[in-house]
Amino acid sequence: MRFDGKVAVVTGAGNGLGRSHALLLAARGARVLVNDLGGGAFGGGESTQAADRVVAEIRDAGGEAVANYASVEDGARIVEAALDAFGRIDIVINNAGILRDVSFAKMSREDWDLVLRVHLEGSFRVTHAAWPHLREQGGGRVIMTTSAAGLYGNFGQANYSAAKMGILGLAQTLAHEGRKSNIHVNTIAPIAGSRLTETILARELVDALRPEYVSALVAYLCHDECKESGALFEVGGGFFARVRWERAAGKVFRLGREITPEAVAGAWEAVNDFSEPERVSHPRDLAGAMAPIMRNIQAGPSRGGNRFIDVDEALGYEFPESTFEYDERDVALYALGVGAAADPTGERRGELHFVYETHSDGFWVLPTFGVIPGLDVMLKMARAGESAPGCNYGLERLLHGEQSTEVRRPLPPRARLTTRTKIVEIYDKGENALVITETRSFDERGEELIVNRFTAVIRGAGGWGGE
Ligand code: NAI
């Protein structure tokens, strides 16, 4: 990957990571504005040495570079210097930084202001000055430098963490705003041995975590070949990984009914649930972030409920698909169970074809056998101690009310059925509630064979003012 013809501004390029980015881009043909205030790691002093040294290194290696000693707080001057020297600007690497680590209790206003000014304000000012030029040229690459301290928090770095997350927010919006103009904005959270880290990391680590490892990613993100924008990467010590937001499955309360602190506490598991990959989401923009909220608004007002039944959750719930296999033995036992051919040599010998599978009239299946595959689903759940979401009652409250079983054609003497089960109706009968569950059983060819509807009377569970 080459950068011939490109002009890069690298802030804070007199040391550490910035120096390494500048050297790599210059070695690959970019003309580089090496900016560095030349101050101390904690924001004091200034000198021309840091930038000059790096410019000399680049020139010695046959590259092209110009030094600039402005503070990133004067972003416009840095961009002007690049335009004066090279006539254009293609790449902006916001890297300059200082530390003022101190616990929050002891943090002075100055510690806070200075760190925000250099990191957040500096990244804004340099990028803001470069932005119109990138747009006019029809594109460009911007790199922002955040930190794991911002992403995860770190003791003694409240100012730095706030500034670094501010930078990430800035980058995310610029990625959206730059899209039309082919301006790509990406953010790195690096780790490298430098004068900023040598006071906190062991010597071996400082030596091992070479800035060059970080610069390889930065250069790729700055190359026309890379189409990424709005991305965040952790990088350093040989590790390269994208970082994204992950949102838990979450809990949705339908609108229009009271949402109490107790209800939120009760839903804590769902609010924090990252366990099911298909229910976890990774929003990339505001529309993605708003999606579940919009769905909830479109779903309309709550249908109510109480501590036994949450109609919003339960109504329409589809149970996991279940299979049920039976053969002649089950069919014959069922028939015997309900009294078929109880008198096999006497009056009821005409019922033998229900219980004898090689009967000369053929083997008949009692149509009411069709109730079994439907019941099976519910019994399996009851045995497993499971219930549908929103059905917060035990079997002790349940009375089997009405039952309908529809058999679409004569049942075969053996089959492997797939049953789909859904809660189709819920009624508030005042004192009690009715929960109506429908099961649809399909044969091996997918043909619907049996439809069951069970009405469960849930004693003492009504009274929420529902339909
Ligand atoms: P460094 O101290 O070696 O280099 C930073 C350079 O920025 C210095 O040369 C300094 O003179 C310059 N600078 C400071 N204030 C400036 C200003 N107002 N205007 C222009 N230049 C200024 O530090 P390092 O480690 O290379 O850090 C580079 C960036 O990476 C910083 O933004 C830092 O917060 C970030 N970072 C570094 C990590 C690491 O492990 N080294 C970890 C996470 C983030």
Side-chain angles (χ1 to χ4, degrees):
M1 281 176 212
R2 297 282 310 174
F3 294 88
D4 302 301
K6 302 282 187 196
V7 172
V9 167
V10 185
T11 69
N15 285 291
L17 286 163
R19 168 180 167 271
S20 166
H21 305 334
L23 291 177
L24 178 58
L25 291 178
R28 302 263 179 152
R31 289 171 291 165
V32 182
L33 185 97
V34 175
N35 158 265
D36 205 293
L37 182 66
F42 310 110
E46 53 190 87
S47 98
T48 55
Q49 277 174 15
D52 285 345
R53 231 179 8 240
V54 175
V55 167
E57 270 186 274
I58 290 174
R59 289 186 181 155
D60 286 351
E64 240 185 285
V66 165
N68 169 276
Y69 319 112
S71 166
V72 284
E73 293 161 88
D74 296 323
R77 276 174 57 201
I78 299 173
V79 171
E80 269 164 36
L83 294 170
D84 287 348
F86 306 120
R88 59 183 289 123
I89 180 166
D90 303 281
I91 295 166
V92 176
I93 301 178
N94 292 294
N95 164 82
I98 53 161
L99 289 179
R100 276 287 178 107
D101 291 0
V102 55
S103 72
F104 189 55
K106 296 194 181 131
M107 185 172 287
S108 69
R109 183 68 202 243
E110 197 206 343
D111 296 328
W112 173 267
D113 287 345
L114 187 61
V115 166
L116 263 94
R117 275 206 323 266
V118 172
H119 288 276
L120 182 55
E121 188 77 19
S123 299
F124 157 69
R125 285 189 187 253
V126 173
T127 311
H128 194 244
W131 199 253
H133 302 284
L134 301 179
R135 281 172 48 134
E136 273 160 32
Q137 270 164 220
R141 306 279 161 158
V142 176
I143 302 294
M144 298 287 185
T145 307
T146 186
S147 164
L151 301 179
Y152 308 115
N154 194 26
F155 194 95
Q157 297 200 305
N159 49 359
Y160 183 72
S161 306
K164 287 305 201 188
M165 284 309 264
I167 288 174
L168 180 62
L170 172 64
Q172 299 306 79
T173 286
L174 295 190
H176 287 294
E177 291 194 16
R179 197 149 285 143
K180 269 205 323 268
S181 318
N182 191 31
I183 304 173
H184 297 236
V185 184
N186 289 291
T187 306
I188 59 162
I191 176 95
S194 77
R195 63 182 198 172
L196 287 193
T197 43
E198 68 189 358
T199 51
I200 40 174
L201 295 179
R203 188 73 244 165
E204 314 84 80
L205 269 180
V206 172
D207 293 340
L209 299 172
R210 298 173 49 167
E212 292 87 318
Y213 302 142
V214 176
S215 301
L217 171 68
V218 168
Y220 175 55
L221 291 171
C222 289
H223 197 268
D224 287 342
E225 201 179 277
C226 176
K227 299 298 172 208
E228 218 57 73
S229 191
L232 164 68
F233 301 91
E234 281 186 30
V235 52
F239 180 62
F240 300 81
R242 185 161 180 164
V243 181
R244 63 180 176 178
W245 289 107
E246 181 167 80
R247 187 170 58 187
K251 161 76 187 173
V252 176
F253 291 102
R254 290 280 282 277
L255 303 178
R257 67 193 260 197
E258 197 191 359
I259 303 173
T260 60
E262 290 77 12
V264 175
W268 206 236
E269 205 175 305
V271 170
N272 290 279
D273 184 9
F274 289 98
S275 66
E276 291 175 56
E278 63 282 0
R279 299 193 59 216
V280 160
S281 55
H282 304 96
R284 289 200 60 182
D285 50 25
L286 276 182
M290 289 286 288
I293 294 165
M294 297 313 290
R295 274 199 300 274
N296 196 31
I297 290 170
Q298 277 154 13
S302 165
R303 281 168 293 189
N306 54 27
R307 72 192 170 94
F308 299 114
I309 296 177
D310 184 322
V311 184
D312 295 328
E313 279 195 349
L315 190 59
Y317 175 72
E318 290 181 39
F319 293 73
E321 226 173 59
S322 134
T323 53
F324 178 75
E325 245 173 295
Y326 70 88
D327 60 15
E328 293 81 352
R329 188 171 181 277
D330 302 298
V331 169
L333 280 170
Y334 173 81
L336 287 168
V338 298
D343 172 17
T345 54
E347 232 171 68
R348 298 181 63 179
R349 56 186 318 225
E351 291 170 358
L352 276 171
H353 53 236
F354 289 123
V355 300
Y356 182 38
E357 73 276 21
T358 58
H359 196 281
S360 55
D361 290 352
F363 185 50
W364 297 22
V365 182
L366 271 171
T368 54
F369 182 76
V371 80
I372 305 297
L375 264 184
D376 178 66
V377 177
M378 283 175 244
L379 290 178
K380 270 185 194 149
M381 279 197 76
R383 263 184 235 122
E386 289 167 8
S387 58
C391 292
N392 308 313
Y393 47 82
L395 285 177
E396 78 284 355
R397 274 186 189 277
L398 189 153
L399 188 68
H400 193 168
E402 203 172 83
Q403 166 80 40
S404 85
T405 299
E406 190 179 333
V407 180
R408 302 269 191 200
R409 60 178 166 81
L411 295 173
R414 57 165 59 216
R416 183 184 160 84
L417 304 179
T418 303
T419 301
R420 295 189 203 133
T421 306
K422 189 175 175 181
I423 298 183
V424 289
E425 283 168 58
I426 296 179
Y427 294 108
D428 175 7
K429 298 292 283 183
E431 193 182 338
N432 306 316
L434 301 184
V435 176
I436 300 167
T437 306
E438 187 176 79
T439 68
R440 291 178 175 274
S441 300
F442 300 84
D443 67 12
E444 293 88 338
R445 287 171 307 169
E447 202 178 305
E448 192 173 271
L449 204 55
I450 313 161
V451 182
N452 276 294
R453 280 167 80 93
F454 299 88
T455 297
V457 179
I458 313 302
R459 294 180 302 115
W464 65 83
E467 196 184 331

